[in-house]
Amino acid sequence: MTAKNWSDLEKHFRVSLPGEVRAKIEVASDCYAGIGKLHSPKESINTKTAIKALDAWIKASGRFQISLGKKSSVAKLSRIEIISNLCGEGKRKSLEKMSPLGFFGLMLDLAMGAASTAIAEIPGREFGPEIKGDMWLVWVRLIVVAVSQVGAKTTASSSNLASESSFVEGVLYLQALLPDYCKRFKTYDSVVKGVQLARKKFGHADEFVLMGTMMGLGSGVIDKELLSKLSDLRHELGAGKTGY
């Protein structure tokens, strides 16, 4: 965001945006741009396609192992088991002394074990189509929270009314600065509907829940159940509702 960008955005929102508010807008937009990339066609793959490819690779690797004289199949390995086979001073020295085929065989075993584990974990980590759409809604709600601090109107009215929404104008301006894969609603009236949907779906959420939804669910690191538990725990501890 350049000085001109901020000046233009203030004209759209029709309020002055102090440093704290600007920082929140930038954080929300930067995070959304990063998370949005994970959901773009170039950065993601269909779940069934990924599992099918992994399964084919495991079978092909198994046949290769047989050609090297190994007869038993590789068991599924947890992340901890894979890491423990590679970390530590003793492990490092042992790996350095292994024969070329022995070293390669171990690496292949670990890779096949990791592939088997990935096949088991992928269904629980896949991005549902609603998650991609939710990220835009969460981003808009974070903008709402930020500009509401300085009294900006955040209502979204249809273009057929006498006065168009300053908030929708601001969202359209901000969205134009985002990568193409982050642009979900591209016309005034569609943004109006998007803002209204965001209020309906995430209007109850504070900044903690909104950022947790974007960075946790959006990245696939946590699921909705864990996010809900974290949110409940935060409120039980009496955390405030300002700040990320």
Side-chain angles (χ1 to χ4, degrees):
M1 293 283 284
T2 65
K4 184 179 186 306
N5 288 148
W6 286 118
S7 177
D8 290 342
L9 188 60
E10 288 179 332
K11 291 176 182 177
H12 285 297
F13 282 142
R14 299 170 197 173
V15 292
S16 176
L17 301 173
E20 179 185 356
V21 175
R22 292 185 178 191
K24 289 189 175 185
I25 292 173
E26 279 204 304
V27 168
S29 297
D30 287 346
C31 289
Y32 178 42
I35 293 299
K37 186 177 182 180
L38 297 179
H39 297 263
S40 66
K42 292 183 179 180
E43 299 290 336
S44 57
I45 185 174
N46 178 274
T47 298
K48 291 182 179 179
T49 300
I51 291 176
K52 184 177 180 181
L54 284 169
D55 186 57
W57 182 83
I58 290 173
K59 291 177 180 177
S61 298
R63 291 192 295 270
F64 181 69
Q65 285 185 317
I66 291 174
S67 71
L68 293 178
K70 188 166 185 177
K71 297 180 180 180
S72 60
S73 60
V74 177
K76 181 174 66 177
L77 300 174
S78 68
R79 293 171 186 248
I80 297 299
E81 289 172 320
I82 294 170
I83 294 171
S84 66
N85 273 280
L86 298 171
C87 295
E89 183 64 20
K91 289 290 184 182
R92 185 183 67 80
K93 291 181 178 180
S94 176
L95 290 171
E96 288 177 347
K97 295 177 181 179
M98 292 180 73
S99 66
L101 285 180
F103 178 77
F104 173 74
L106 175 61
M107 295 300 106
L108 187 57
D109 285 351
L110 296 179
M112 291 174 68
S116 296
T117 299
I119 289 175
E121 292 182 354
I122 284 174
R125 294 290 188 93
E126 66 180 349
F127 293 134
E130 77 283 356
I131 295 297
K132 180 178 180 180
D134 281 354
M135 293 304 99
W136 191 95
L137 304 181
V138 169
W139 171 69
V140 163
R141 287 304 302 174
L142 285 167
I143 302 304
V144 168
V145 172
V147 300
S148 292
Q149 292 182 213
V150 288
K153 293 182 179 180
T154 58
T155 54
S157 54
S158 175
S159 61
N160 59 8
L161 299 180
S163 178
E164 292 189 343
S165 165
S166 58
F167 180 71
V168 172
E169 291 175 358
V171 169
L172 279 167
Y173 180 81
L174 273 176
Q175 180 176 249
L177 302 176
L178 290 171
D180 287 341
Y181 49 74
C182 289
K183 298 171 183 176
R184 300 285 295 175
F185 301 92
K186 300 181 181 180
T187 65
Y188 179 93
D189 287 329
S190 64
V191 169
V192 168
K193 293 178 180 178
V195 172
Q196 293 171 346
L197 179 59
R199 182 184 299 114
K200 180 179 180 181
K201 195 163 187 177
F202 294 103
H204 63 285
D206 60 19
E207 289 169 305
F208 175 85
V209 174
L210 291 170
M211 288 300 292
T213 300
M214 180 178 289
M215 302 306 294
L217 291 182
S219 65
V221 173
I222 63 176
D223 56 26
K224 290 183 179 180
E225 183 178 356
L226 178 56
L227 178 63
S228 178
K229 289 180 179 179
L230 290 173
S231 178
D232 291 343
L233 177 61
R234 176 174 178 270
H235 287 296
E236 287 176 10
L237 294 175
K241 292 188 176 183
T242 59
Y244 294 146

